[in-house]
Amino acid sequence: QVQLVESGGGSVQAGGSLRLSCAASGYTYSSNCMGWFRQVPGKEREGVAAINTGGVWTYYADLAKDRFTISQDSARNTVYLQMSSLKPEDTAMYYCAAMRNGGCWRGWSSIYNYNYWGQGTQVTVSS
């Protein structure tokens, strides 16, 4: 079965940085799409960034373009989200997601295009 395991969350002051990791197992990693989403209680899950696992194409929400970087280590089936200049509004549960097949062109920011989800890692940014 497919498993996605997030790590790297924690508490940080505004302006600080964190790097999230998502390790995939039992998953056809190559030529696929994996993304990062975040969610706060009472609100819908929103896309942060995504990456084509078989290439170098990356996608970002406007909120992430200047501060976050998504990358991967294909040898370890791991996707990272480097977050810098964190703001209190970045506080959320961050989830890793993966599509069953295809690429991010299917709509990287829609939760309905993803088939697998991790359990999430909490990021808390204090002012």
Side-chain angles (χ1 to χ4, degrees):
Q1 62 273 40
V2 175
Q3 287 187 303
L4 305 177
V5 180
E6 303 98 333
S7 62
S11 298
V12 64
Q13 291 184 331
S17 300
L18 287 172
R19 189 179 75 158
L20 308 183
S21 298
C22 175
S25 61
Y27 177 65
T28 303
Y29 185 86
S30 299
S31 302
N32 228 315
C33 180
M34 294 182 64
W36 286 97
F37 290 74
R38 70 186 190 185
Q39 186 172 29
V40 298
K43 296 184 178 180
E44 64 185 18
R45 198 166 296 186
E46 64 177 348
V48 177
I51 187 168
N52 283 110
T53 57
V56 297
W57 302 107
T58 57
Y59 308 83
Y60 295 95
D62 287 342
L63 63 91
K65 289 181 178 178
D66 298 323
R67 301 183 296 123
F68 297 178
T69 300
I70 189 169
S71 61
Q72 65 180 324
D73 183 345
S74 58
R76 300 201 299 169
N77 289 1
T78 300
V79 171
Y80 305 95
L81 184 68
Q82 177 67 48
M83 305 187 294
S84 301
S85 301
L86 285 164
K87 305 173 182 179
E89 52 262 44
D90 294 319
T91 296
M93 183 72 73
Y94 283 72
Y95 297 90
C96 178
M99 295 184 182
R100 191 187 309 276
N101 52 58
C104 297
W105 60 268
R106 295 178 179 271
W108 72 267
S109 63
S110 174
I111 62 172
Y112 303 106
N113 292 327
Y114 292 83
N115 305 97
Y116 311 109
W117 294 86
Q119 294 300 304
T121 184
Q122 178 68 38
V123 172
T124 301
V125 184
S126 62
S127 59

